[in-house]
Tab-separated table of all heavy atoms in Angstrom:
chain	number	residue	atom	x	y	z
H	75	ARG	N	37.042	46.782	-55.451
H	75	ARG	CA	37.233	48.138	-54.808
H	75	ARG	C	37.671	49.154	-55.924
H	75	ARG	O	37.232	50.200	-55.977
H	75	ARG	CB	38.255	47.951	-53.726
H	75	ARG	CG	37.698	47.410	-52.346
H	75	ARG	CD	38.820	47.639	-51.354
H	75	ARG	NE	39.570	46.620	-51.209
H	75	ARG	CZ	39.587	45.417	-50.670
H	75	ARG	NH1	38.497	45.121	-50.023
H	75	ARG	NH2	40.507	44.527	-50.698
H	76	VAL	N	38.567	48.774	-56.784
H	76	VAL	CA	39.000	49.773	-57.631
H	76	VAL	C	37.997	50.130	-58.693
H	76	VAL	O	37.749	51.246	-59.191
H	76	VAL	CB	40.262	49.112	-58.463
H	76	VAL	CG1	40.674	50.072	-59.666
H	76	VAL	CG2	41.513	48.997	-57.529
H	77	GLU	N	37.102	49.168	-58.952
H	77	GLU	CA	36.010	49.413	-60.011
H	77	GLU	C	35.016	50.335	-59.358
H	77	GLU	O	34.523	51.268	-59.941
H	77	GLU	CB	35.214	48.124	-60.309
H	77	GLU	CG	36.038	47.245	-61.376
H	77	GLU	CD	35.275	45.937	-61.679
H	77	GLU	OE1	34.162	45.881	-61.596
H	77	GLU	OE2	35.965	45.015	-62.026
H	78	VAL	N	34.774	50.189	-58.017
H	78	VAL	CA	33.899	51.204	-57.266
H	78	VAL	C	34.468	52.520	-57.349
H	78	VAL	O	33.792	53.463	-57.755
H	78	VAL	CB	33.643	50.754	-55.796
H	78	VAL	CG1	32.917	51.768	-55.067
H	78	VAL	CG2	32.740	49.463	-55.775
H	79	LEU	N	35.796	52.660	-57.066
H	79	LEU	CA	36.495	53.976	-57.060
H	79	LEU	C	36.393	54.682	-58.403
H	79	LEU	O	36.171	55.820	-58.529
H	79	LEU	CB	37.851	53.757	-56.638
H	79	LEU	CG	38.169	53.581	-55.066
H	79	LEU	CD1	39.665	53.520	-54.863
H	79	LEU	CD2	37.616	54.691	-54.429
H	80	SER	N	36.473	53.879	-59.469
H	80	SER	CA	36.490	54.434	-60.842
H	80	SER	C	35.118	55.010	-61.182
H	80	SER	O	35.085	55.772	-62.080
H	80	SER	CB	36.907	53.261	-61.900
H	80	SER	OG	35.820	52.540	-62.046
H	81	LEU	N	34.075	54.640	-60.522
H	81	LEU	CA	32.751	55.168	-60.744
H	81	LEU	C	32.516	56.522	-59.965
H	81	LEU	O	31.443	57.162	-60.245
H	81	LEU	CB	31.662	54.218	-60.332
H	81	LEU	CG	31.723	52.896	-61.158
H	81	LEU	CD1	30.793	51.851	-60.554
H	81	LEU	CD2	31.299	53.162	-62.607
H	82	LEU	N	33.501	56.862	-59.013
H	82	LEU	CA	33.177	57.948	-58.178
H	82	LEU	C	33.921	59.213	-58.569
H	82	LEU	O	34.976	59.126	-59.338
H	82	LEU	CB	33.629	57.594	-56.791
H	82	LEU	CG	32.941	56.410	-56.221
H	82	LEU	CD1	33.448	56.024	-54.782
H	82	LEU	CD2	31.408	56.685	-56.131
H	83	PRO	N	33.472	60.415	-58.262
H	83	PRO	CA	34.142	61.677	-58.600
H	83	PRO	C	35.626	61.645	-58.073
H	83	PRO	O	35.759	61.120	-56.989
H	83	PRO	CB	33.415	62.840	-57.992
H	83	PRO	CG	31.963	62.155	-57.650
H	83	PRO	CD	32.331	60.667	-57.384
H	84	ASP	N	36.485	62.342	-58.773
H	84	ASP	CA	37.939	62.361	-58.362
H	84	ASP	C	38.189	62.761	-56.844
H	84	ASP	O	39.044	62.274	-56.252
H	84	ASP	CB	38.795	63.361	-59.298
H	84	ASP	CG	39.000	62.637	-60.596
H	84	ASP	OD1	38.996	61.375	-60.744
H	84	ASP	OD2	39.392	63.346	-61.547
H	85	ARG	N	37.231	63.744	-56.444
H	85	ARG	CA	37.601	64.328	-55.110
H	85	ARG	C	37.482	63.266	-53.995
H	85	ARG	O	38.030	63.579	-52.946
H	85	ARG	CB	36.741	65.493	-54.937
H	85	ARG	CG	35.224	65.163	-54.743
H	85	ARG	CD	34.375	66.298	-54.693
H	85	ARG	NE	32.935	65.961	-54.911
H	85	ARG	CZ	32.215	65.436	-53.983
H	85	ARG	NH1	32.664	65.015	-52.834
H	85	ARG	NH2	30.922	65.078	-54.308
H	86	VAL	N	36.702	62.285	-54.250
H	86	VAL	CA	36.580	61.255	-53.135
H	86	VAL	C	37.608	60.087	-53.163
H	86	VAL	O	37.637	59.115	-52.415
H	86	VAL	CB	35.131	60.698	-53.019
H	86	VAL	CG1	34.277	61.828	-52.546
H	86	VAL	CG2	34.736	59.910	-54.187
H	87	HIS	N	38.415	60.121	-54.225
H	87	HIS	CA	39.359	58.934	-54.491
H	87	HIS	C	40.365	58.697	-53.323
H	87	HIS	O	40.855	57.643	-53.102
H	87	HIS	CB	40.120	59.134	-55.741
H	87	HIS	CG	39.428	58.704	-56.993
H	87	HIS	ND1	39.907	58.454	-58.202
H	87	HIS	CD2	38.107	58.371	-57.127
H	87	HIS	CE1	38.966	57.957	-58.987
H	87	HIS	NE2	37.997	58.075	-58.405
H	88	ALA	N	40.606	59.685	-52.523
H	88	ALA	CA	41.469	59.575	-51.448
H	88	ALA	C	41.057	58.829	-50.351
H	88	ALA	O	41.839	58.233	-49.537
H	88	ALA	CB	42.037	61.004	-50.948
H	89	ALA	N	39.711	58.681	-50.271
H	89	ALA	CA	39.127	57.876	-49.128
H	89	ALA	C	39.279	56.424	-49.325
H	89	ALA	O	39.604	56.081	-50.503
H	89	ALA	CB	37.639	58.273	-48.963
H	90	SER	N	39.108	55.672	-48.409
H	90	SER	CA	39.198	54.260	-48.416
H	90	SER	C	38.128	53.704	-49.356
H	90	SER	O	36.941	54.136	-49.202
H	90	SER	CB	39.257	53.527	-47.073
H	90	SER	OG	38.144	52.599	-47.028
H	91	ALA	N	38.391	52.764	-50.164
H	91	ALA	CA	37.358	52.219	-51.062
H	91	ALA	C	36.185	51.606	-50.341
H	91	ALA	O	35.030	51.883	-50.781
H	91	ALA	CB	38.076	51.100	-51.967
H	92	VAL	N	36.471	51.010	-49.262
H	92	VAL	CA	35.362	50.294	-48.482
H	92	VAL	C	34.571	51.494	-47.923
H	92	VAL	O	33.276	51.344	-48.004
H	92	VAL	CB	35.888	49.450	-47.402
H	92	VAL	CG1	34.798	48.942	-46.629
H	92	VAL	CG2	36.626	48.275	-48.201
H	93	ASP	N	35.088	52.412	-47.325
H	93	ASP	CA	34.294	53.495	-46.692
H	93	ASP	C	33.408	54.178	-47.800
H	93	ASP	O	32.214	54.401	-47.552
H	93	ASP	CB	35.240	54.666	-46.080
H	93	ASP	CG	35.952	54.153	-44.842
H	93	ASP	OD1	35.598	53.045	-44.297
H	93	ASP	OD2	36.859	54.864	-44.364
H	94	VAL	N	33.982	54.407	-48.983
H	94	VAL	CA	33.310	55.112	-49.975
H	94	VAL	C	32.195	54.257	-50.441
H	94	VAL	O	31.115	54.677	-50.698
H	94	VAL	CB	34.326	55.415	-51.174
H	94	VAL	CG1	33.538	55.766	-52.433
H	94	VAL	CG2	35.237	56.385	-50.784
H	95	ALA	N	32.443	52.927	-50.591
H	95	ALA	CA	31.388	52.001	-51.082
H	95	ALA	C	30.171	52.008	-50.062
H	95	ALA	O	29.056	52.028	-50.511
H	95	ALA	CB	31.891	50.609	-51.270
H	96	GLU	N	30.570	52.051	-48.727
H	96	GLU	CA	29.440	51.972	-47.856
H	96	GLU	C	28.649	53.340	-47.830
H	96	GLU	O	27.411	53.288	-47.729
H	96	GLU	CB	30.111	51.663	-46.347
H	96	GLU	CG	30.482	50.240	-46.285
H	96	GLU	CD	31.337	50.058	-44.970
H	96	GLU	OE1	31.626	50.929	-44.268
H	96	GLU	OE2	31.638	48.734	-44.765
H	97	GLU	N	29.495	54.349	-47.967
H	97	GLU	CA	28.764	55.689	-47.907
H	97	GLU	C	27.858	55.781	-49.039
H	97	GLU	O	26.687	56.272	-49.034
H	97	GLU	CB	29.958	56.761	-48.055
H	97	GLU	CG	29.502	58.165	-48.167
H	97	GLU	CD	30.594	59.067	-48.477
H	97	GLU	OE1	31.728	59.022	-47.995
H	97	GLU	OE2	30.401	60.021	-49.359
H	98	HIS	N	28.323	55.326	-50.287
H	98	HIS	CA	27.449	55.537	-51.451
H	98	HIS	C	26.382	54.394	-51.480
H	98	HIS	O	25.259	54.837	-52.017
H	98	HIS	CB	28.326	55.339	-52.730
H	98	HIS	CG	28.994	56.601	-53.140
H	98	HIS	ND1	28.598	57.372	-54.134
H	98	HIS	CD2	29.993	57.270	-52.469
H	98	HIS	CE1	29.346	58.479	-54.227
H	98	HIS	NE2	30.103	58.463	-53.184
H	99	ALA	N	26.525	53.318	-50.979
H	99	ALA	CA	25.401	52.386	-50.698
H	99	ALA	C	24.305	52.987	-49.906
H	99	ALA	O	23.269	52.883	-50.206
H	99	ALA	CB	25.991	51.033	-50.141
H	100	ALA	N	24.792	53.541	-48.816
H	100	ALA	CA	23.783	54.274	-47.962
H	100	ALA	C	23.043	55.311	-48.558
H	100	ALA	O	21.802	55.534	-48.395
H	100	ALA	CB	24.627	54.780	-46.725
H	101	SER	N	23.721	56.063	-49.595
H	101	SER	CA	23.003	57.163	-50.288
H	101	SER	C	22.356	56.705	-51.538
H	101	SER	O	21.918	57.440	-52.425
H	101	SER	CB	23.945	58.332	-50.458
H	101	SER	OG	25.071	57.956	-51.241
H	102	ALA	N	22.443	55.344	-51.767
H	102	ALA	CA	21.699	54.694	-52.920
H	102	ALA	C	22.015	55.191	-54.335
H	102	ALA	O	21.188	55.575	-55.110
H	102	ALA	CB	20.186	54.796	-52.693
H	103	VAL	N	23.443	55.365	-54.566
H	103	VAL	CA	23.812	55.636	-55.905
H	103	VAL	C	23.831	54.269	-56.641
H	103	VAL	O	24.533	53.388	-56.321
H	103	VAL	CB	25.219	56.137	-55.925
H	103	VAL	CG1	25.711	56.321	-57.392
H	103	VAL	CG2	25.327	57.489	-55.160
H	106	ALA	N	27.296	52.197	-57.662
H	106	ALA	CA	28.095	51.866	-56.523
H	106	ALA	C	27.495	50.845	-55.722
H	106	ALA	O	28.114	49.916	-55.297
H	106	ALA	CB	28.367	53.172	-55.755
H	107	VAL	N	26.192	50.843	-55.657
H	107	VAL	CA	25.431	49.985	-54.796
H	107	VAL	C	25.626	48.472	-55.499
H	107	VAL	O	25.995	47.476	-54.785
H	107	VAL	CB	23.936	50.174	-54.728
H	107	VAL	CG1	23.213	48.929	-54.075
H	107	VAL	CG2	23.706	51.430	-53.888
H	110	ALA	N	29.189	47.238	-54.799
H	110	ALA	CA	29.466	47.116	-53.443
H	110	ALA	C	28.773	45.822	-52.814
H	110	ALA	O	29.201	45.352	-51.838
H	110	ALA	CB	29.279	48.330	-52.580
Side-chain angles (χ1 to χ4, degrees):
Chain H
R75 276 191 278 272
V76 170
E77 285 179 26
V78 169
L79 282 182
S80 73
L81 296 170
L82 302 175
D84 283 345
R85 64 185 168 77
V86 295
H87 276 200
S90 124
V92 172
D93 290 349
V94 167
E96 285 170 355
E97 178 193 317
H98 277 252
S101 62
V103 175
V107 171

